[in-house]
Each structure stands twice: as structure tokens, then as C-alpha cells.
Amino acid sequence: MFQGVTVLKAVKLGQEGAVPLKSARLFFDVSERVKMTLESYFGLDAPLYFSYSHLVCRSAIAEKQEEREDLSHAVHADNCLLVSELNECVKEPPAYTHRDFSAILYLNDDFEGGDFIFTELDAKTVTAEVRPQCGRVVGFGAGKENPHGVRAVTKGQRCAVALWFTLDPVHQEKERIQAEEMLRMFSTPVNAEFMQKEVSETPEPQQATPALAAQFSADQGFVETKSDDKPAEKGPDAAADSERDKTETKPVKTKTDTKAKAAPKAKAKAGDKAKTKTASKPAAKKDGKQVKTQAKPAVKKDAKPAAKKTVKAAAKTDSEKDSESDKQEL
Ligand SMILES: O=C(O)CCC(=O)C(=O)O
Ligand SMILES: [Fe+2]
């Protein structure tokens, strides 16, 4: 079972006083930050546009939880319809074919189960696992090279912001523009200083200003980027994290042919198997130094959004419905 809320819905709830307006703003701002991180990490030379954003919480169902093998979110790809029996993914409507990149920002970790997994196209062979942690982001190309799903949540509630991005401005999320206008009318940005800085300077991945560090620490999060299955170059402060990551992000299999080694500024494609993640940190770093030192993500050099396939479309999968069907829910 899950419940979701879009940015616009969150802002409206904030306006009504049902939730603190600053929480709605945080939702907005933090997703902007994720967008910038992806652009930087994948070395994109064109901007990403939000195509859909929602905050989703999944709860354990009231059933026997032992030895559960089912998934809270079936294995799928975000811009094509996965036909696992054929090892195919059909990039045609009703799939959201305009999605080029996806990101999931985890908001809590006090639940059991709910691990994020990447699989092969067979939807069975697990290639990597990510343990959700507050402030951690997993970012990936939205296409057939990244089938993924969520293991059953067996205890508690798992909340995450799911974001999909497009390179095509035609498909940008109109609701988000409305939400931005409302936020502009109702309050000043929590991290205005940071956002201005980011816009005026080309952002380096993980370059945190004190304002950003404070912002993230308020939410127990902190940005760190690296491939999940290739250790990124790390600065001296990163040891504790890398130790933790060993246990929490488990690449099951390394696909060296799809793994990237290129510089962060290389042109990237949605088909890139490299992942981005944000790991939580205990406290804000005043100088933002360690953030900077870790910004050597591995990305594929010749990356471009995968070519459109002309295969007959299948019915919309449950997971696709999941992704965008709950606009009205809280
Ligand atoms: O919640 C997650 O970790 C993944 C969600 C997802 O893949 C989706 O909504 O398309
Ligand atoms: Fe997905």
C-alpha cells in the first residue's frame, strides 16, 4: 500500500496549513538539488526538466512478514514497458517514453525491508541493491538498462521522493511551475542564497555551501555522489562513509561493459548504468570540504538517451501506474 503527494499538492497543503509550508518548500528545494546533482553527475550539457515528482510512502501490509519474496514495487523500467519473459523493454506509449533520468531520494530508514534493487531485463537477476537511508539518492537512466524494483516493506513505513526527468522541455511538469509560483508568492526560499549561487556558478557535484549543509543537516541528509559498484575517488573525510556503504549498497554483479569511467563533464546518456546516490551524514560540515573531494563520479562517456524502439506496445504495468496514478492522494 502506498500514498503519494506531488509538489503542487504539498504546496497547497502548506498554504492551507495542513502541513508546514516550509516542509513543502523543502520538498521543492531538495528536488531541485537532486536535479542539479544528476546534471552534474551525468555530465549533461543540456538541462534536465522535471517531468513528474512525488513523495511516496509505502507501508507494510498486515500479513505474515517472514520469508516474504514479493515486491512492494514490481521490477520495471521507468520509460519503457518491461516484458521480462522476452528480455525486452518496449519504449512506446503508454510508457512514459519522455523520461530520461530517474532519481529516488530516501527520507527515512526506520523500517524493515524496502530495499531498492536493480535487475537484468529478466526482472529476476539482481545486479545491485541499495539500502534506503535518510538523505540518500539513487539516480539512474530511466531506460531499459536499468530495470529496478522495491522489496516488500515488512515493518514500518518507507518514504521517498521519486523524481523523473526529461531532456525535452515539452514534457516538463506544469504543476511544478505552478508550485514554484505559489512558493514565490507565499514565502522566501529557505536556501535562496544557495540556489542563487548554484545558478550563477556551474555546479560541481557535491559542492556544498554552508547554507546547503545546514539545509541538509536539518533533514539529516548530506550529498555524496559515487557509483554504487565502483568506488569513487574519495577525500580523507570519506572513510566512514565508504565503510558504511560497503554494507549498505551491495552490487551483486559488476557489469564492466556498462560501467563508466569517464570524467564527470562527459556527455552522458540515459542508458548509463552508473548510479548516483546521496548518503546521509551525521552533521553539517561547515566548510563543505568533504563534499567537494568526493565528486568524481564514474559515468559513461558517450551517453545519450536510448534510441526509440518500434515494438508494439504492451499494457501499462502496475509499476507505471503506481508511479503516476496517485496525484490526488496524500
Ligand atoms: O521507491 C523506490 O525506491 C523506487 C520507486 C520507483 O522505482 C518508481 O516509483 O518508479
Ligand atoms: Fe521506477
Side-chain angles (χ1 to χ4, degrees):
M1 162 192 158
F2 77 94
Q3 296 179 299
V5 63
T6 61
V7 175
L8 182 60
K9 178 86 182 175
V11 171
K12 286 182 175 167
L13 288 169
Q15 210 189 324
E16 289 162 14
V19 300
L21 193 56
K22 72 172 193 191
S23 302
R25 170 166 289 287
L26 183 61
F27 180 2
F28 185 93
D29 287 351
V30 93
S31 49
E32 290 288 335
R33 175 65 185 166
V34 171
K35 180 172 90 74
M36 288 190 283
T37 302
L38 257 68
E39 285 167 346
S40 177
Y41 185 89
F42 288 105
L44 303 178
D45 53 12
L48 287 177
Y49 299 90
F50 287 92
S51 71
Y52 193 71
S53 324
H54 68 177
L55 190 163
V56 182
C57 294
R58 296 167 190 278
S59 305
I61 50 168
E63 274 173 29
K64 190 169 162 275
Q65 301 295 345
E66 291 92 65
E67 291 160 36
R68 272 185 72 182
E69 291 287 323
D70 58 322
L71 298 174
S72 168
H73 196 153
V75 172
H76 63 282
D78 287 338
N79 73 11
C80 53
L81 301 168
L82 185 62
V83 188
S84 55
E85 302 78 20
L86 303 175
N87 281 310
E88 280 281 354
C89 205
V90 183
K91 197 174 178 188
E92 281 197 0
Y96 300 104
T97 56
H98 55 272
R99 292 175 177 176
D100 294 310
F101 288 89
S102 310
I104 318 291
L105 166 65
Y106 297 106
L107 301 180
N108 69 320
D109 31 50
D110 53 344
F111 57 88
E112 288 174 16
D115 285 356
F116 178 89
I117 53 169
F118 285 103
T119 73
E120 299 285 11
L121 278 169
D122 64 5
K124 289 192 185 85
T125 313
V126 176
T127 53
E129 300 174 40
V130 179
R131 178 66 202 157
Q133 176 139 23
C134 181
R136 175 167 286 171
V137 173
V138 55
F140 49 97
K144 63 185 290 186
E145 43 307 291
N146 285 313
H148 57 278
V150 181
R151 293 211 161 107
V153 176
T154 53
K155 191 174 177 189
Q157 192 182 45
R158 172 196 196 268
C159 296
V161 173
L163 303 163
W164 292 276
F165 302 99
T166 178
L167 290 161
D168 184 352
V170 167
H171 291 287
Q172 71 180 303
E173 194 176 23
K174 309 290 177 298
E175 278 204 358
R176 194 175 178 91
I177 299 166
Q178 210 184 322
E180 187 171 16
E181 280 164 10
M182 286 173 73
L183 283 171
R184 205 176 297 134
M185 278 186 329
F186 295 118
S187 60
T188 50
V190 174
N191 58 357
E193 196 190 319
F194 160 68
M195 297 304 284
Q196 265 169 15
K197 215 168 156 42
E198 285 287 334
V199 169
S200 60
E201 296 169 7
T202 308
E204 280 297 316
Q206 314 321 313
Q207 216 165 19
T209 63
L212 173 69
Q215 175 77 13
F216 272 74
S217 87
D219 212 27
Q220 299 169 31
F222 173 93
V223 179
E224 174 199 348
T225 306
K226 66 184 180 66
S227 161
D228 68 340
D229 49 3
K230 257 191 191 304
E233 281 179 37
K234 288 188 166 264
D237 296 327
D241 255 21
S242 85
E243 201 44 51
R244 190 198 53 225
D245 290 342
K246 258 184 239 157
T247 56
E248 289 171 354
T249 307
K250 299 179 224 153
V252 174
K253 198 169 118 197
T254 304
K255 291 172 70 180
T256 42
D257 55 333
T258 56
K259 298 306 171 194
K261 289 177 187 152
K265 292 292 166 200
K267 203 172 178 198
K269 76 173 167 189
D272 198 334
K273 188 80 181 179
K275 323 280 188 316
T276 302
K277 78 176 186 192
T278 303
S280 63
K281 283 275 181 184
K285 297 279 168 181
K286 286 203 178 67
D287 57 3
K289 181 168 152 251
Q290 100 207 62
V291 191
K292 210 170 168 180
T293 55
Q294 297 168 23
K296 294 280 187 265
V299 288
K300 202 170 174 181
K301 201 168 197 162
D302 59 345
K304 277 265 181 227
K308 192 175 158 87
K309 275 192 149 195
T310 50
V311 192
K312 220 173 169 180
K316 190 177 272 192
T317 63
D318 281 345
S319 52
E320 284 286 349
K321 283 187 216 146
D322 267 5
S323 299
E324 295 198 357
S325 64
D326 59 339
K327 290 187 186 182
Q328 302 312 317
E329 293 179 43
L330 171 60

